[in-house]
Amino acid sequence: FRGGAELLFDGVKKHQVTLPCQPEPWDIRNLLKWIKENLLKERPELFMQGESVRPGILVLINDADWELMGELDYKLQDQDNVVFISTLHGG
C-alpha cells in the first residue's frame, strides 16, 4: 500500500499474506473482499467502491497495471506482488 493508502491499514505498507484454500482459484475480486475483511482498519469507502477499488487507486500486479492483466478477473499466482497506490490527495 503506497501513496497514503497504507494509512487505512494502520500505516503498514507491506503485507505478506497466505490466502486460505478455496475450491476456485483466487482472483483479484476475491482478494479485495479478503483485504476488506482482514486487513482494512478504517474508512473502507476511501479504498473500495462496490466490489472494486475506488477510482484513484492504482493497482499493479507484478509491476504491471492491472488493466493489462484482466482487472478483477485476474487469477492470482503463487508469489504474485499486488500493489495499491493512492493517487488521491487532499488539498
Side-chain angles (χ1 to χ4, degrees):
F1 300 97
R2 302 277 190 264
E6 68 276 7
L7 299 175
L8 304 174
F9 298 87
D10 276 348
V12 179
K13 290 185 176 190
K14 185 174 184 176
H15 298 263
Q16 186 158 348
V17 299
T18 301
L19 298 170
C21 291
Q22 64 177 27
E24 301 172 10
W26 280 87
D27 57 21
I28 295 292
R29 179 179 285 104
N30 290 326
L31 174 65
L32 287 171
K33 285 184 215 173
W34 186 90
I35 287 172
K36 183 178 179 182
E37 293 169 2
N38 295 281
L39 298 178
L40 188 59
K41 300 298 182 191
E42 60 183 85
R43 307 212 39 205
E45 70 277 6
L46 294 180
F47 184 69
M48 295 195 65
Q49 185 174 25
E51 65 178 12
S52 188
V53 293
R54 181 183 171 111
I57 304 284
L58 175 65
V59 182
L60 301 176
I61 302 169
N62 301 322
D63 297 324
D65 190 323
W66 77 325
E67 291 178 359
L68 303 172
M69 311 292 280
E71 297 183 3
L72 293 172
D73 295 323
Y74 173 77
K75 303 290 187 225
L76 292 167
Q77 306 295 314
D78 192 32
Q79 302 298 315
D80 272 348
N81 185 39
V82 181
V83 179
F84 299 93
I85 303 171
S86 175
T87 61
L88 304 172
H89 300 283

